[in-house]
Amino acid sequence: MRVAVCQLNSRDDRAHNLSVARSLLERAAAGGAELAVLPEYVDFLGRAADAPKPEAVDGEFAAFFAAAARELGIWVHAGSFHETGPDDGRTFNTTLVFRPDGSLAASYRKIHLYDVEIAGRVSYQESRTVAPGEHTVVTEVNGVPTGLSICYDLRFPELYRQLAIAGAKILVVPAAFMLHTGRDHWEVLLRARAIENQCYVLAAGQIGDHEPGRTCFGRSMIIDPWGTVLAQAPDTEGIAIAELDLGRLDTIREELPSLANRRL
């Protein structure tokens, strides 16, 4: 299975962000990818006051990426967007996955919200404007069980263990990972999730500066179940492509049966 992760610098111009996303999906399809993954908040990453109006899962955002999947004939993981939330003050941070015919295969609402205070560096309370999701999601992508997550979820290994136990062989992580943590933790955490769950990990990140005063790490990558980085995007907008060898995954699980040997 050939896959691509797409790396963007989404800012406050939604039309431009969507145009760039579409061009990267086209590059992924031209490169033979059967699945392309976009980053968190692919359509807008800027000041909350300027954010687009939240939408339902069948709104304009969904229509745009459903059309892209259908026209390009590939599976599209549309990163995430601001879904209409449970009340007027909060949205959901939601992933949508589309089949090559444009139909919606799955949706996932981010469970773990980024509430962090680092003196003099970061003050961010995602829970002020975003409601947490409640359900883990494993969906079939081209016949392969695929577990969904978003960004800060990466720091909670129990989520990924649940996805693996539920049958996932691929774990997807769209993200807008901050530079100051990403440079030390991003690759380490992604490789750990791959190794401990014996899954492929597809991580698509935002890159560069975003308003207000936010810089994302990028380094989108594809990792195999042994923890080897198969492909990594450079520090610019673009894509990285790799082949997933599901037979190798099965061999790793047979020769080092840590999932089968678990006691808890």
Side-chain angles (χ1 to χ4, degrees):
M1 183 176 177
R2 194 167 176 83
V3 301
V5 290
C6 304
Q7 184 164 280
L8 276 75
N9 175 235
S10 300
R11 304 191 76 171
D12 57 4
D13 185 338
R14 192 187 197 208
H16 176 73
N17 297 335
L18 291 175
S19 176
V20 173
R22 171 65 190 234
S23 70
L24 294 180
L25 292 176
E26 291 172 357
R27 286 177 56 185
E34 299 160 74
L35 164 67
V37 180
L38 291 159
E40 183 180 24
Y41 287 145
V42 61
D43 64 326
F44 181 90
L45 197 57
R47 298 181 186 276
D50 301 325
K53 184 178 179 180
E55 302 177 14
V57 295
D58 59 354
E60 292 181 3
F61 178 93
F64 180 89
F65 287 106
R70 183 173 59 252
E71 291 164 9
L72 297 173
I74 63 173
W75 288 82
V76 171
H77 180 296
S80 80
F81 77 111
H82 299 83
E83 182 196 356
T84 304
D87 52 58
D88 292 339
R90 296 180 299 167
T91 64
F92 291 113
N93 185 346
T94 302
T95 279
L96 302 177
V97 180
F98 296 96
R99 301 181 182 92
D101 64 2
S103 61
L104 181 65
S107 64
Y108 165 74
R109 293 169 173 166
K110 185 178 182 181
I111 291 174
H112 300 97
L113 303 182
Y114 187 60
D115 288 355
V116 175
E117 294 283 347
I118 301 177
R121 301 186 70 176
V122 176
S123 177
Y124 194 87
Q125 298 291 318
E126 188 175 18
S127 63
R128 291 176 182 170
T129 58
V130 178
E134 298 179 350
H135 305 291
T136 59
V137 176
V138 175
T139 188
E140 293 277 326
V141 173
N142 205 24
V144 183
T146 301
L148 305 183
S149 66
I150 299 174
C151 200
Y152 193 50
D153 283 333
L154 182 60
R155 293 188 179 276
F156 300 87
E158 62 273 19
L159 168 63
Y160 296 90
R161 179 49 52 93
Q162 286 190 36
L163 296 174
I165 291 171
K169 294 186 175 181
I170 297 172
L171 303 170
V172 184
V173 189
F177 221 78
M178 302 289 278
L179 174 64
H180 71 280
T181 54
R183 61 193 178 194
D184 293 323
H185 297 167
W186 172 245
E187 181 176 335
V188 174
L189 289 171
L190 290 170
R191 294 179 69 192
R193 298 297 88 88
I195 294 166
E196 67 200 8
N197 296 296
Q198 300 182 316
C199 289
Y200 283 96
V201 172
L202 317 183
Q206 293 278 358
I207 178 73
D209 296 334
H210 317 265
E211 293 293 339
R214 176 173 181 162
T215 302
C216 289
F217 183 62
R219 301 287 175 91
S220 301
M221 61 183 70
I222 300 166
I223 302 168
D224 80 1
W226 194 252
T228 303
V229 177
L230 301 179
Q232 178 176 286
D235 294 335
T236 184
E237 288 187 324
I239 66 171
I241 294 179
E243 296 279 351
L244 308 189
D245 183 347
L246 297 171
R248 172 168 166 74
L249 181 148
D250 292 338
T251 298
I252 288 171
R253 289 186 174 187
E254 290 170 3
E255 294 181 349
L256 184 63
S258 58
L259 282 177
N261 292 343
R262 70 184 187 279
R263 298 287 298 276
L264 299 175

